[in-house]
Amino acid sequence: MNKLCYSLLLSTGLAFSAYAQEAPSFPGGRPQQQSTAIPGTADDTTPRGNGKISGVLVDSVSSQPVEFAAISLIEVKSNKPVDGTTTDDKGKFVITKIAPGDYKLLISFIGYKGKEIKNITIDRRTDVELGNVVLTPDIVQLKEVEVVGQAALIEEKVDRLVFNAEKDLTSKGGDATDVMRKVPMLTVDLDGNVSLRGSSNVRVLINNKPSTIIASSVGDALRQIPADMIKSVEVITSPSARYDAEGTAGIINIITKKNTLQGATLDINGGAGNRGSMLGLRGSYRAGKMGFNLSGFGRANYNQKGYSESLQQSRGATTPFSTRQFTDSRNSDLFGSYNLSWDYDINKNSSLTASIRYGTRNQLSTQGITTLRTVALTPGTSTSYRDVDVKDLSGTVDVNIDYIKTLKKPQQEVSILTQFSRNNRTNNFDADLFSDNNTLREIIGQEGNRNSSYNQESTVQVDYQTPIKKNQMFEFGGKAIMRQVLSDFSYYSSLNVPRPANELNYDQNVAASYFSYTYTTKNKYSFKIGSRYEYTTINADQGEADLNIPAYGNLVPSVNVSKTLKGGKTIKLGYNRRLQRPGIQVLNPNINAANPQNITVGNPNLAPELTDQLEAGTSWFKKSVFINTTIFARTTNNSIESIRTTDERGVITTTYGNIGQKQTYGANIFGNVTLFSKWQIGGGLDGYYVFLTNNSPDPALFAKNEGLVLSGRFFTNVTLNKGWGIQGMSFIRGRDVQLQGSQTGFAFYSLGFKKDFANKKGSLGLATENFLADAFKTRNEFVSPTFSQSSTNLLYNRGVRVTFQYKLGKMSFDAPTRRNRKSVNNDDVKGAGGGDGEGQQPAAPAAGNGGGRPR
C-alpha cells in the first residue's frame, strides 16, 4: 500500500511536469460547465451594478434540467444584449453585476422552443430568483389546454452523443443489447459483443461506474440490464484527461432511470415472448433531503438453439489433414440484477451518496459435436461424437460511497469517490465421449475442466475543480485502483492422462493523476487540453513460477477544440491517446478444450496496447432537422492479436501475443428529423477502411489484411392520438475484415406498438424482432500459411413478446434542485476475443474460455 501511495504521488508530479508549459483540457464525463459569458454580449466596457438574476431551466416533458442552454440579457431601452450566460449541467444559470434598469431574458437551445421572460426590473441591489423555468420541446397545441411534446431520440451534447432509450418502444421487454443496436456508431454482433467504429476496445460504464461483471464479459453484462430501466446511452469517442486511459475506441455510459422528485412511487414492468420473459420492479421514496431508490430485475431466456458447420484443412503441410465438424446447441440463461441507492444532502453545499448492487448470471449450454477427421498415412475417415455440457455461473457485487462538497465560488467543488467491486465466476464443462457407432450411443469415456475465478478491485478517487474568471475551468485529481484476480483450474479424463491442475494469481495496482483546463473565447472557440499519467505495477505468478512482469508508466494527452458558427453549425477537432490493458480472458492460462479440435489458452505475459486517435466533426441543425458528420483516424501499436497454430492431427490452438498493428480511417454520418411534432425519422451510415498486420517474424504465422467495412441503421417513431405509438428500426453490417479472413454481414430489424392507459400510469406493448426469417446465416473464412478454416453459423432469433408497465404512487415537482452526482469511473481493460472487431478471429463452434477479467 505504501508503494501504491508513493506511485500515486510520483505520477501526480510527472503529469504536472510533463505539461507544465501547456494548457490542459476540460474533463470528460458530464462536464461541470461554468456559467460562461455568451460571446458578443458582455465585455469590460458594459456598465456594471449589483443586480443578480438566477434560475433553473427544466424540460417540460421529462422535468430534467436543460444543460448548456443560452441565456441572453436584453436591455429594454436599447433592445440590445448586454450580458448572458449558459446553464450548467444541473440547468442552473446566474447573471451577476447587473446595472439598474429594465430587462428581459431570451432563452434558446437546440430542439426547444425559444422563451422570453419580460418585465424584469433591476434596482441597486435587486436579487431576482426565477425558480424553475420550463422549456418545451417541439410543441403542437391539439386542444385548448392539451399539449403534446416529443423529445429527440438522439441528441448531441458538448462532449458526447446521447441516445434516449426511454423513448424507444421496440426494446421494451428486452435487454441492453437490444438498445445498443440502435445507437449511432455502435455495432452489436450476433453474440452480443459491442464495438465502436469497428473496435471492440470500448469501456462500458453503468451510471458512470465500472463493474467487475463488465470486466468479465461485456456481452453477458449487457444481458443483465433490462431495456426498460435504461434512460439513455452516452457515446464518448474522444474522452478527456479526467477519464481513465483505457478503452482505445471510446466510452459507452449507460444511464439508468432514477427518481429525484419528492414522494413515493413504484414501477412494475414485464414481458413474455417465445424466446424470453422478464419482470422488473423499481421503487423510490424521497422526503426532504433524503432519498432512496430500489430496483430488481429478473430475466429468463429459453428456446435458444444454434447450429454450425466448420471445415479445417492443411495448406502445404507434409502431413495433410482435413477435419469437418457439425455442432447442434441448446442454450438457456437466467439473469438477475438488484440495486439499492441512498442519497442525502448534508447541507446546501455537501452531499453523500451510497449504493449497493448485486448481479447474477446463470448460463447453461448443451452441445452435440460430430467430428469427421482424415489424416494422411491413416486409412479412411475417423468419426467421433461428444456431448458437452457447459455451466457458466457468475455473481457480482458493487458498493459505492461518494462525498461531494461545493466551495465558495460557483462550480468550485471537491469530491471523494470510493468503490469496491467483486465478481465470482465458475466456468466448467463436462463431455461424454461416444463410440464411432452413434446409433448405439455407447459412452466410452468422459473428460472435463473446472475453472473457478474471482476478480476484485478497490478504488479511491479525489477530484477538485475551480473556475478561473467566467470563461475558464481548471481541474486536477488522483486515483488509486487495487485489483486482485485469481483463476484456479483443473482437468479430468477417463481416457487419457489429464493435464496437471494450476492457478494464476494476478495482482494489478494503478496509480493515476490528471489535470485539465478549458478556455472559451468571445468569438465562440472552446479549447480543452489535458494530460493524464498512469503508473501500473503487476505482481503475478502461475503455480510456483513468478512471472516477473515489469511495471510501466503511460502519459496520455488529450486536446479538444470546438467552434460554434452561425446557423446552428458546430465544428469539433479532437486528439487523444488511449491504452488497453489485457484482460483475464486473454491472460488466463487455463487450457479450454471443450472442443478438442479448437483449443484456447491465454498468455499471462501480455503488455498493454497503445492507440492514438484523431477525429473531426461537424453538426448542423435547423428547426427540427439535425445532421452530424465525423471523420476519424486511429493507429494502434503493440495490439493483442490471436496466434493460431495447428499440429499434425489438425488440432488448432489459439493463444495471444502483442504482435499486431492497426490503422483505421473512417467516417460516420447520422441525422434525424421531426415531422408534425409526432413523427421522427432518422438513420445513419458508418464506414471505415482498415489495415491489419501481425508483424510476426515467423513466416508460418505472418498475416496481413485490409478492406472496407460498411454499416447502416434506420429508425422511425410515430406518436398517435389516444396514447398509441409505433416504432420500427433496422441495422445492417456488411462484410467484416479480419486479420486472417473475413465474416459475412448480418442484419437486425424490429417493429413495436404501444398503448398508454388514459391516466398515463401504465401501458401495454407488442414488440417483434427479425420476424421475416427463421434464422440468420453467417460465414467465417480464415486462411494462414499452414491451414484454412471456414465455418457457417445459424442464429435462430425470430422473436415476439408482449410487454406491460404500470406506475403506482404520486410525485411532486417542487423538489429542491438535485446536485450533480459523481461516481468512480474505471475506464479499463481489453475484452475477450483477442483483438478488435477489426482483427478478431472467428469463434470456435464450441464453448468459450473461462475466468474473470481484471480491469
Side-chain angles (χ1 to χ4, degrees):
M1 184 66 186
N2 291 333
K3 291 182 178 179
L4 182 62
C5 294
Y6 174 77
S7 299
L8 180 61
L9 294 174
L10 175 63
S11 65
T12 302
L14 287 174
F16 275 94
S17 62
Y19 273 138
Q21 304 301 321
E22 296 186 23
S25 110
F26 196 67
R30 302 189 64 83
Q32 304 291 311
Q33 180 162 330
Q34 73 279 15
S35 297
T36 305
I38 295 179
T41 57
D43 55 40
D44 294 338
T45 63
T46 304
R48 290 302 201 182
N50 295 315
K52 176 183 175 182
I53 301 174
S54 61
V56 179
L57 214 57
V58 296
D59 185 295
S60 65
V61 177
S62 65
S63 301
Q64 296 299 309
V66 178
E67 50 187 340
F68 313 122
I71 315 291
S72 298
L73 181 66
I74 310 296
E75 185 182 40
V76 175
K77 183 177 180 180
S78 63
N79 199 33
K80 293 182 178 180
V82 296
D83 205 344
T85 186
T86 58
T87 56
D88 63 16
D89 58 357
K90 293 166 282 189
K92 292 182 179 180
F93 65 89
V94 179
I95 303 176
T96 59
K97 298 181 180 180
I98 305 174
D102 295 323
Y103 299 92
K104 62 181 179 180
L105 284 180
L106 295 181
I107 304 174
S108 62
F109 190 58
I110 301 171
Y112 291 88
K113 186 176 180 180
K115 192 177 188 71
E116 181 177 325
I117 301 176
K118 300 181 178 180
N119 303 322
I120 300 176
T121 300
I122 300 294
D123 295 325
R124 293 185 62 185
R125 292 185 178 273
T126 304
D127 189 347
V128 179
E129 172 57 58
L130 298 176
N132 284 354
V133 179
V134 177
L135 278 189
T136 310
D138 293 333
I139 295 177
V140 57
Q141 189 162 341
L142 302 176
K143 297 181 180 179
E144 184 174 350
V145 294
E146 182 180 359
V147 176
V148 175
Q150 187 180 57
L153 191 62
I154 299 173
E155 300 177 77
E156 186 188 26
K157 297 193 176 182
V158 172
D159 65 338
R160 66 198 63 201
L161 177 135
V162 180
F163 178 83
N164 290 308
E166 59 185 345
K167 306 299 178 184
D168 178 21
L169 303 182
T170 59
S171 296
K172 297 295 182 183
D175 55 42
T177 57
D178 299 308
V179 176
M180 293 289 190
R181 289 191 174 101
K182 301 161 191 176
V183 180
M185 296 185 285
L186 300 186
T187 301
V188 182
D189 68 15
L190 302 178
D191 297 317
N193 299 309
V194 180
S195 61
L196 170 58
R197 292 172 171 172
S199 173
S200 60
N201 287 341
V202 294
R203 190 66 182 139
V204 179
L205 307 175
I206 303 174
N207 295 321
N208 293 298
K209 304 172 185 177
S211 173
T212 49
I213 180 58
I214 293 178
S216 176
S217 171
V218 172
D220 291 343
L222 294 179
R223 286 189 283 269
Q224 287 191 31
I225 305 172
D228 304 84
M229 291 188 181
I230 299 177
K231 180 178 182 293
S232 61
V233 178
E234 301 175 343
V235 181
I236 308 170
T237 57
S238 185
S240 63
R242 188 165 191 170
Y243 283 95
D244 289 356
E246 297 211 46
T248 54
I251 294 170
I252 301 171
N253 187 25
I254 300 172
I255 305 297
T256 60
K257 297 175 182 177
K258 184 179 293 186
N259 171 60
T260 58
L261 303 178
Q262 300 286 84
T265 185
L266 177 65
D267 291 358
I268 305 172
N269 58 80
N274 65 320
R275 292 191 298 115
S277 301
M278 60 81 63
L279 178 65
L281 298 174
R282 187 176 71 253
S284 62
Y285 175 76
R286 181 172 299 281
K289 297 181 177 182
M290 187 178 298
F292 296 88
N293 284 271
L294 177 65
S295 63
F297 160 77
R299 178 182 178 89
N301 293 331
Y302 42 79
N303 196 25
Q304 300 182 87
K305 61 179 181 178
Y307 176 78
S308 67
E309 298 179 5
S310 67
L311 174 63
Q312 300 164 189
Q313 293 178 305
S314 60
R315 300 179 73 235
T318 55
T319 307
F321 67 84
S322 174
T323 303
R324 186 180 296 273
Q325 282 192 322
F326 307 89
T327 304
D328 280 297
S329 62
R330 295 293 184 273
N331 305 293
S332 61
D333 308 314
L334 284 175
F335 298 97
S337 180
Y338 316 95
N339 184 81
L340 173 63
S341 61
W342 167 83
D343 59 81
Y344 176 67
D345 289 331
I346 301 171
N347 53 48
K348 67 177 183 179
N349 295 322
S350 303
S351 67
L352 187 65
T353 63
S355 67
I356 181 170
R357 174 191 172 274
Y358 179 74
T360 181
R361 170 183 54 78
N362 295 335
Q363 292 183 309
L364 303 177
S365 175
T366 300
Q367 301 174 354
I369 304 175
T370 300
T371 304
L372 307 177
R373 186 170 56 203
T374 302
V375 180
L377 306 180
T378 301
T381 298
S382 64
T383 305
S384 64
Y385 306 93
R386 65 168 46 208
D387 287 345
V388 183
D389 291 325
V390 179
K391 181 183 296 184
D392 191 352
L393 313 177
S394 173
T396 304
V397 61
D398 300 320
V399 180
N400 294 268
I401 301 177
D402 307 322
Y403 172 77
I404 302 174
K405 181 176 179 59
T406 301
L407 304 177
K408 294 181 180 179
K409 297 180 184 179
Q411 301 300 312
Q412 187 182 31
E413 185 176 272
V414 62
S415 59
I416 303 174
L417 314 175
T418 64
Q419 176 177 270
F420 172 83
S421 183
R422 180 179 173 115
N423 170 255
N424 293 317
R425 185 176 184 183
T426 298
N427 192 2
N428 301 335
F429 82 83
D430 298 280
D432 292 334
L433 284 64
F434 297 91
S435 62
D436 289 356
N437 190 341
N438 193 35
T439 304
L440 298 177
R441 301 293 292 176
E442 178 184 355
I443 296 179
I444 60 174
Q446 293 178 320
E447 61 182 27
N449 177 206
R450 297 289 180 265
N451 186 195
S452 60
S453 63
Y454 72 78
N455 183 5
Q456 177 178 299
E457 67 177 36
S458 304
T459 305
V460 179
Q461 177 178 333
V462 179
D463 300 295
Y464 173 77
Q465 66 178 38
T466 182
I468 304 173
K469 298 182 179 180
K470 282 189 173 184
N471 61 339
Q472 301 172 61
M473 176 72 78
F474 181 71
E475 305 190 31
F476 65 89
K479 186 174 188 177
I481 308 172
M482 292 144 282
R483 299 183 172 115
Q484 298 86 41
V485 175
L486 172 67
S487 178
D488 190 357
F489 45 91
S490 61
Y491 315 89
Y492 72 89
S493 175
S494 62
L495 295 180
N496 304 297
V497 178
R499 298 180 179 92
N502 210 331
E503 68 176 19
L504 173 69
N505 286 282
Y506 195 94
D507 294 344
Q508 181 188 87
N509 295 322
V510 180
S513 64
Y514 74 93
F515 74 96
S516 62
Y517 171 84
T518 187
Y519 176 72
T520 303
T521 67
K522 291 184 178 181
N523 55 355
K524 300 185 180 181
Y525 278 99
S526 178
F527 300 89
K528 302 176 183 180
I529 306 172
S531 175
R532 184 181 188 91
Y533 183 79
E534 295 188 353
Y535 187 75
T536 304
T537 61
I538 299 172
N539 182 20
D541 60 77
Q542 182 179 345
E544 299 296 326
D546 191 339
L547 297 181
N548 294 316
I549 301 175
Y552 56 89
N554 298 98
L555 184 66
V556 286
S558 64
V559 179
N560 289 280
V561 181
S562 64
K563 166 69 172 176
T564 302
L565 306 175
K566 294 181 179 180
K569 296 180 180 179
T570 302
I571 298 176
K572 298 180 180 180
L573 179 66
Y575 162 79
N576 65 78
R577 172 173 289 179
R578 309 285 291 168
L579 65 87
Q580 195 76 33
R581 296 183 179 92
I584 189 61
Q585 288 180 308
V586 292
L587 294 168
N588 191 1
N590 175 48
I591 300 174
N592 187 294
N595 182 346
Q597 293 300 125
N598 288 275
I599 297 173
T600 303
V601 58
N603 177 6
N605 293 294
L606 292 172
E609 300 176 351
L610 287 174
T611 296
D612 292 278
Q613 177 169 279
L614 181 68
E615 69 173 55
T618 180
S619 60
W620 175 88
F621 70 92
K622 187 174 183 180
K623 294 183 179 179
S624 60
V625 180
F626 172 75
I627 298 175
N628 177 279
T629 304
T630 304
I631 58 175
F632 68 93
R634 183 172 62 235
T635 299
T636 300
N637 293 307
N638 206 40
S639 68
I640 299 171
E641 299 296 338
S642 300
I643 301 174
R644 311 185 86 190
T645 57
T646 184
D647 61 18
E648 66 279 358
R649 299 169 299 158
V651 176
I652 296 174
T653 300
T654 301
T655 187
Y656 308 95
N658 292 105
I659 59 174
Q661 184 179 49
K662 306 174 186 177
Q663 294 179 330
T664 309
Y665 306 91
N668 319 101
I669 181 170
F670 63 89
N672 59 68
V673 58
T674 302
L675 304 175
F676 317 115
S677 298
K678 293 183 177 182
W679 185 13
Q680 288 187 356
I681 301 174
L685 292 173
D686 304 327
Y688 62 87
Y689 197 92
V690 60
F691 299 88
L692 304 166
T693 179
N694 63 8
N695 294 323
S696 175
D698 186 348
L701 299 177
F702 177 78
K704 66 177 181 179
N705 201 0
E706 64 180 78
L708 178 66
V709 181
L710 296 173
S711 62
R713 57 179 49 81
F714 171 81
F715 70 84
T716 182
N717 182 30
V718 182
T719 301
L720 303 176
N721 295 333
K722 298 182 179 181
W724 282 96
I726 305 174
Q727 187 177 86
M729 67 79 58
S730 61
F731 171 83
I732 185 169
R733 194 205 70 190
R735 174 179 172 272
D736 187 30
V737 178
Q738 300 175 344
L739 177 61
Q740 292 176 291
S742 64
Q743 182 187 60
T744 56
F746 61 89
F748 286 93
Y749 51 90
S750 60
L751 182 65
F753 306 86
K754 181 183 176 183
K755 175 65 171 74
D756 289 326
F757 300 154
N759 58 8
K760 300 291 184 180
K761 285 194 172 184
S763 65
L764 286 174
L766 176 68
T768 61
E769 302 161 345
N770 306 313
F771 47 85
L772 297 178
D774 183 44
F776 279 124
K777 179 186 291 186
T778 63
R779 183 175 176 84
N780 296 308
E781 298 285 350
F782 173 88
V783 179
S784 79
T786 57
F787 71 96
S788 65
Q789 181 186 53
S790 63
S791 62
T792 301
N793 299 279
L794 295 180
L795 177 66
Y796 298 87
N797 61 351
R798 174 189 285 169
V800 59
R801 60 179 177 269
V802 177
T803 64
F804 70 89
Q805 183 179 26
Y806 194 77
K807 300 179 181 179
L808 301 173
K810 183 178 180 181
M811 310 303 298
S812 63
F813 288 86
D814 56 354
T817 302
R818 302 297 303 156
R819 209 174 265 108
N820 184 55
R821 302 301 180 194
K822 294 181 178 179
S823 59
V824 167
N825 172 5
N826 294 347
D827 307 297
D828 271 317
V829 184
K830 186 178 184 73
D836 294 357
E838 302 162 353
Q840 192 170 351
Q841 303 302 331
N849 208 357
R853 180 164 71 98
R855 289 170 298 118

